[in-house]
Structure formats: structure tokens, C-alpha cells
């Protein structure tokens, strides 16, 4: 039997975010930076946001050097008023908000629960969870005025399972999955889809740094064993998943927690 001709999917999806205005938080580093570049290559107007100006401006420069459209907006997501200003800046700059990748976050301090101070607990919950609530609150309000949009939050494989000495981070990331599902239930019928990605260990500058330090060699080896694919991920592999979730190609995907983890959660 003659097979039907296969058309290259890359041409049809290459510009799948064309003309969409998308906020990326934590866009000065790691997953956020790569994702911002990927969204721009897919045709988005990207609001590159981070608490750190220098690194985020480098992301904007990188987008501009490829001919993309991006604007830097500095925001500390641990402050509600700054989150509100970030969303207003996106709408003022490009006239509307179509998507958001709420990705900024901080890692665990590395202590068992009984050694964790209340301040350390509260900081993790504030930056890794409450900020996602604030981001969604103002983004959804903006999106509903122009007919809807899509939001992707960065949770973690540790939003579904735990590792030792990471209680505050594990709790916050479980919360990100929960609030993603709750928002999907509230806004699905109003045209706003909300999903989250669950990265496994991703090779960001922090992991690269730990890899060169012999003190962390055995713990990194143990973590690697938990990835059946046999390697850690690249930031762009999270960005590609987020790009798809933000695009109209994922129009029936709502309230999902998508593992992008080399099989970490499968075994
Ligand atoms: N790298 C991994 O292995 C991994 C695994 C699972 C989940 N994640 C999650 O992915 C996301 C991105 O992680 P990454 O590895 O790219 O980290 P990263 O440290 O490279 O980038 C995080 C960015 O968030 C910014 N940020 C921190 N606090 C902020 C605040 N209060 N306001 C605004 N911006 C702030 C930082 O300045 C930084 O640019 C995080 O939510 C993290 O929890 C990462």
C-alpha cells in the first residue's frame, strides 16, 4: 500500500506563538532564559521578567540579536504590587496578554524539617507558590478582557514525590500542581487554559557547578540513576513543552501536570 506523504511538522509549528504576548518569569537564567528564546523564535512578543536586571537584559539581547521581539520588566515576584505592575506593563507594551510561563523559583535550603526555620519555610512558600497565585490572579484578569489565553506554571517532579531534606520545596511544588488544577477548573470555560510542567533534574548553571565539585559527585550520581533516560534534561526541553502548552495546538489541554523528566516519575 502506498503511504501518504508526510509533511514536515516543523513548518506548521515554527510560528505557533506568532503575535502572542507572553510573560516569562525567571527569564534571566536556566529554564526561563531558554524558554523565552524558544517562544520568541515561535513568533511571540516576550516579556522577559526577572528579579535580576543584568541577566534578564542578556536574555533580551539574545532575543533581539535573533530578530525577535522582547521587553525586559524587572519584578520581585515575592511582592504582590510588583506582580501587578508586571502584568500591566505587558498589556501597556503590547496591548494584550495571551500567555504566561510562571517559572521563577528558588531551590531548597537542604535541611530536614526539624532544622528548617519558619522564615525559611515562609520564603520558599512565598517565592515558589504564593508568587504563582499572584501571577495567575493578575494574568487571568488581563486575559479575560481579550477573550482568553494560556498559562503554564513550573512545578517539579518534586510536586508529586519527595526527596530528603527538601520539605519546603516539595510542599510548595505540590501546591503549584494544586493551584494549577484549581485555576483550570475555575477558568476553563472562560477561555483561559492552565497547565504545569514537572521538570526532572535540568542542567542549569547550578547543576553544572555541582557537577564539577567532587563533594556532590555521589548525590548527583544517585539522582542520575533516577532518570531512566540516562541523563539530566536541558532547559530547552522544558521550554519546548511549555511552548506547546501555550500554543493553540494544545487547545484541549487544561489542568494537566506534564512530566518532562526523562522518566523520573515513571519508575
Ligand atoms: N533546574 C532543575 O533541575 C529544576 C527541576 C525542577 C523544577 N525546577 C524549577 O524550574 C524553575 C526554574 O529553575 P532553574 O533551574 O531555571 O533556576 P535558575 O536559578 O537558573 O532560574 C531561576 C530564576 O528565577 C529568578 N527568581 C528567583 N527569585 C525570584 C523572585 N523573587 N522574583 C523574580 N524572579 C526570581 C532568578 O533570578 C533566576 O533568574 C524553578 O521554578 C525551579 O524550581 C528546576
Amino acid at each position: 500500500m502506498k503511504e501518504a506523504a508526510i509533511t514536515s511538522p516543523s513548518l506548521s509549528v515554527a510560528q505557533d506563538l506568532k503575535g502572542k504576548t507572553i510573560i516569562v518569569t525567571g527569564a534571566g537564567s536556566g529554564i526561563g532564559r531558554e524558554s523565552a528564546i524558544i517562544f520568541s523564535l515561535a513568533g511571540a512578543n516576550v516579556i522577559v521578567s526577572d528579579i535580576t536586571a543584568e541577566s534578564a537584559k542578556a536574555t533580551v539581547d539574545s532575543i533581539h540579536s535573533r530578530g525577535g521581539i522582547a521587553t525586559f520588566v524587572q519584578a520581585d515576584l515575592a511582592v504582590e504590587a510588583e506582580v501587578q505592575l508586571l502584568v500591566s506593563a505587558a498589556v501597556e507594551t503590547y496591548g494584550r496578554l495571551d500567555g504566561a510561563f510562571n517559572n521563577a523559583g528558588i531551590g531548597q535550603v537542604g535541611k530536614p524539617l526539624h532544622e528548617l526555620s519558619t522564615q525559611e519555610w515562609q520564603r520558599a512558600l512565598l517565592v515558589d507558590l504564593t508568587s504563582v497565585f499572584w501571577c495567575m490572579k493578575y494574568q487571568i484578569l488581563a486575559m479575560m478582557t481579550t477573550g482568553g489565553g494560556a498559562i503554564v506554571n513550573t512545578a517539579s517532579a518534586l510536586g508529586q514525590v519527595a526527596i530528603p531534606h527538601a520539605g519546603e520545596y516539595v510542599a510548595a511544588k505540590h501546591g503549584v500542581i494544586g493551584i494549577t488544577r484549581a485555576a483550570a477548573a475555575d477558568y476553563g470555560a472562560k477561555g483561559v487554559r492552565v497547565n504545569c510542567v514537572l521538570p526532572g533534574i535540568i542542567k542549569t548553571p547550578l547543576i553544572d557547578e555541582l557537577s564539577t565539585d567532587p563533594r556532590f559527585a555521589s548525590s548527583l550520581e544517585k539522582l542520575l540513576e533516577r532518570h531512566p533516560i540516562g541523563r539530566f534534561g536541558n532547559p530547552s526541553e522544558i521550554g519546548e513543552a511549555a511552548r506547546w502548552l501555550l500554543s493553540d495546538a494544545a487547545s484541549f489541554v487544561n489542568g494537566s501536570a506534564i512530566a518532562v523528566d526523562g522518566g523520573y516519575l515513571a519508575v
Side-chain angles (χ1 to χ4, degrees):
M1 195 172 69
K2 212 176 166 189
E3 284 182 22
I6 297 168
T7 50
S8 163
S10 60
L11 280 180
S12 59
V13 299
Q15 290 284 294
D16 55 359
L17 300 180
K18 186 144 189 71
K20 290 185 191 286
T21 297
I22 297 180
I23 292 174
V24 181
T25 71
S29 176
I31 294 169
R33 168 174 287 173
E34 286 299 316
S35 301
I37 293 169
I38 286 169
F39 301 166
S40 154
L41 289 171
N45 309 320
V46 186
I47 296 288
V48 171
S49 185
D50 206 289
I51 193 172
T52 312
E54 205 180 330
S55 59
K57 282 182 182 161
T59 304
V60 170
D61 290 345
S62 179
I63 290 175
H64 286 166
S65 72
R66 292 167 162 92
I69 301 170
T71 303
F72 166 60
V73 179
Q74 190 164 16
D76 177 357
L77 304 179
V79 180
E80 182 175 1
E82 295 199 21
V83 176
Q84 198 171 1
L85 284 172
L86 163 63
V87 174
S88 312
V91 174
E92 274 160 30
T93 308
Y94 296 111
R96 54 185 293 124
L97 181 66
D98 304 289
F101 185 32
N102 298 319
N103 161 79
I106 51 173
Q108 62 269 31
V109 293
K111 295 177 182 174
L113 273 187
H114 73 279
E115 286 178 16
L116 203 61
S117 70
T118 300
Q119 201 187 8
E120 287 165 335
W121 165 264
Q122 285 175 337
R123 182 74 194 158
L125 270 285
L126 179 63
V127 177
D128 286 344
L129 179 58
T130 305
S131 74
V132 175
F133 158 60
W134 285 331
C135 280
M136 288 205 291
K137 175 175 168 149
Y138 295 105
Q139 290 159 357
I140 288 167
L141 271 169
M143 287 173 183
M144 286 198 303
T145 64
T146 47
I151 293 175
V152 178
N153 299 317
T154 303
S156 167
L158 300 185
Q160 285 193 350
V161 294
I163 54 167
H165 299 180
E168 80 288 16
Y169 183 82
V170 167
K173 292 299 188 180
H174 274 68
V176 172
I177 296 177
I179 197 170
T180 297
R181 290 177 174 148
D186 281 346
Y187 299 102
K190 296 189 168 70
V192 181
R193 293 183 298 106
V194 187
N195 295 287
C196 61
V197 283
L198 280 48
I201 299 288
I202 303 302
K203 275 172 58 106
T204 53
L206 174 69
I207 296 292
D208 286 341
E209 209 176 290
L210 294 182
S211 322
T212 58
D213 188 333
R215 286 177 305 156
F216 295 102
S218 81
S219 26
L220 281 178
E221 209 158 292
K222 270 194 209 130
L223 275 174
L224 188 57
E225 280 167 18
R226 305 214 25 195
H227 293 69
I229 208 162
R231 63 174 176 85
F232 294 143
N234 296 309
S236 63
E237 292 176 305
I238 306 302
E240 288 294 351
R243 178 183 93 160
W244 177 70
L245 286 168
L246 288 166
S247 79
D248 296 340
S251 51
F252 199 53
V253 185
N254 189 34
S256 287
I258 304 220
V260 188
D261 65 354
Y264 187 113
L265 289 171
V267 293

